[in-house]
Amino acid sequence: MPTSTLPGQGGTRDENASVGHQPAAGRPRLSLDRSAQGRQARAAWTLAAPFLALFLAFMLLPVVWSLLMSLTDTQSADLRTPLNVSFTGFDNYVRLFQDEQFVHALRNTAVFVVVGLPLTLAAGLAAAVALNSGIRRFRAVFRVGFYLPVITSIVAIAVVWKTLLDPRAGLVNTVLGWFGIDGPAWLADTRFALPVMILMAVWRNLGTVMIIMLAGLQSVPQSLMEAAELDGAGAWQRFWRVTFPLLRPALLLTAVTTGIGYLQFFDEPFVMTQGGPLDSTLSATMYAYNQFGNGNYDVASAAGYVVFVLIVALTVLQFRVLRDKD
């Protein structure tokens, strides 16, 4: 007997029964998918738990605690009774900028960044261009030679440079003496101590810039260079109009990472001059280190956050200037 179709229904009873039976068949599969996702989530959190614990204990907690210390009068004597400190607001930051030594340290840091960063980028780019086009033989040897200072300990490099610049027995003054030039006491003269450290930083870090720029140069499509050459563009025009714009991502990466490192420069003056002579090589991070060593944890934390704000400001500026306009 044929089945009838009720008014307002789009099919027969058998069809409706079969259609209504389908969601019930899909429920077990949906529950299985959810249980599998739950197991994956639990496994992921289990694997990430050690890192999260270390991050919270040694990164996030010290950052938050140092921020709180910069707003209080915490001293070394307060470590046993941390609840007895008083809230001082931004008084520590006001004290910092009223301290001539800190202002002088900021000025040294600014000179180190403003002079050293462009020199490092220019030297690294020049080395990359030379290795990419000018130098054909022993290219791998030159790459290793330029990059070797990057992987060498900064303490070892500082000790070597300090020995080379020794005013009496150093190799630099010895060579100058062969030509009748009386070399100065490089690290004991306020005119030369900071420039010497800038020069050493450029020499040490240009290898990183060179490697990244070299990767950028090798990714430039050769067809664009050939098209520019057919249009009559010279070597400099091809580099400035075609190659350099395509290097913006690599240039931004190296500028940001190098700038952050230069704003925190510490090892060079700590090993070579201890911030002297007459604070001419004292950096902002070394000032914070000295204040921490003297037990002024509040001022040291405030100085650290001033450096942090400078890093953020420099990074934002670099992104605005060097990011891809497209």
Side-chain angles (χ1 to χ4, degrees):
M1 180 176 181
T3 59
S4 61
T5 302
L6 297 178
Q9 292 182 342
T12 63
R13 293 175 182 177
D14 294 340
E15 292 173 349
N16 291 336
S18 62
V19 171
H21 183 67
Q22 290 178 358
R27 289 171 187 171
R29 182 176 182 180
L30 181 61
S31 61
L32 289 175
D33 291 342
R34 289 180 177 178
S35 62
Q37 293 177 356
R39 289 195 299 270
Q40 291 178 354
R42 288 192 296 271
W45 281 108
T46 302
L47 294 174
F51 167 77
L52 291 176
L54 293 175
F55 176 79
L56 292 174
F58 296 103
M59 292 292 292
L60 185 60
L61 181 61
V63 167
V64 175
W65 191 256
S66 64
L67 178 61
L68 296 177
M69 285 196 300
S70 71
L71 303 175
T72 62
D73 57 354
T74 306
Q75 302 289 312
S76 58
D78 297 322
L79 291 180
R80 295 184 178 181
T81 56
L83 298 180
N84 292 336
V85 299
S86 301
F87 180 77
T88 59
F90 293 97
D91 290 349
N92 292 322
Y93 295 92
V94 175
R95 287 173 55 192
L96 276 179
F97 288 98
Q98 292 176 347
D99 187 352
E100 294 183 0
Q101 188 181 42
F102 180 72
V103 174
H104 190 68
L106 282 181
R107 189 180 301 115
N108 293 336
T109 304
V111 172
F112 193 90
V113 174
V114 172
V115 177
L117 181 57
L119 286 178
T120 305
L121 296 179
L125 179 58
V129 171
L131 288 176
N132 189 56
S133 59
I135 299 176
R136 299 298 181 183
R137 302 181 61 184
F138 306 108
R139 183 177 297 181
V141 175
F142 280 101
R143 288 182 183 179
V144 173
F146 279 118
Y147 195 73
L148 190 60
V150 178
I151 60 177
T152 305
S153 170
I154 180 58
V155 176
I157 290 177
V159 171
V160 171
W161 273 68
K162 186 176 182 179
T163 303
L164 293 174
L165 297 171
D166 186 90
R168 295 184 179 180
L171 180 62
V172 175
N173 281 0
T174 300
V175 173
L176 292 177
W178 296 345
F179 300 95
I181 302 174
D182 189 13
W186 299 97
L187 299 178
D189 194 323
T190 55
R191 299 172 299 173
F192 299 109
L194 187 59
V196 163
M197 292 189 180
I198 294 175
L199 181 63
M200 186 182 73
V202 172
W203 169 80
R204 180 175 183 266
N205 292 283
L206 72 88
T208 302
V209 179
M210 179 201 68
I211 292 296
I212 298 176
M213 291 295 184
L214 188 58
L217 288 171
Q218 293 177 348
S219 65
V220 174
Q222 191 63 27
S223 59
L224 293 179
M225 303 299 293
E226 294 174 355
E229 187 175 2
L230 290 175
D231 289 339
W236 171 251
Q237 290 178 325
R238 291 198 302 271
F239 175 78
W240 185 250
R241 299 293 183 181
V242 179
T243 304
F244 190 76
L246 295 176
L247 290 178
R248 278 184 177 271
L251 188 63
L252 177 61
L253 173 62
T254 54
V256 169
T257 55
T258 307
I260 291 174
Y262 281 6
L263 276 173
Q264 301 178 84
F265 88 102
F266 170 82
D267 300 308
E268 298 89 340
F270 181 77
V271 176
M272 300 174 71
T273 61
Q274 291 293 312
L278 300 177
D279 293 337
S280 62
T281 59
L282 181 68
S283 65
T285 52
M286 191 171 184
Y287 175 91
Y289 172 83
N290 291 337
Q291 291 295 327
F292 188 86
N294 294 332
N296 301 322
Y297 296 164
D298 49 356
V299 178
S301 300
Y305 272 92
V306 169
V307 175
F308 170 74
V309 171
L310 292 176
I311 290 174
V312 173
L314 178 62
T315 303
V316 171
L317 177 63
Q318 289 171 332
F319 266 92
R320 287 186 176 273
V321 173
L322 297 175
R323 68 181 178 182
D324 195 350
K325 302 302 181 183
D326 296 334

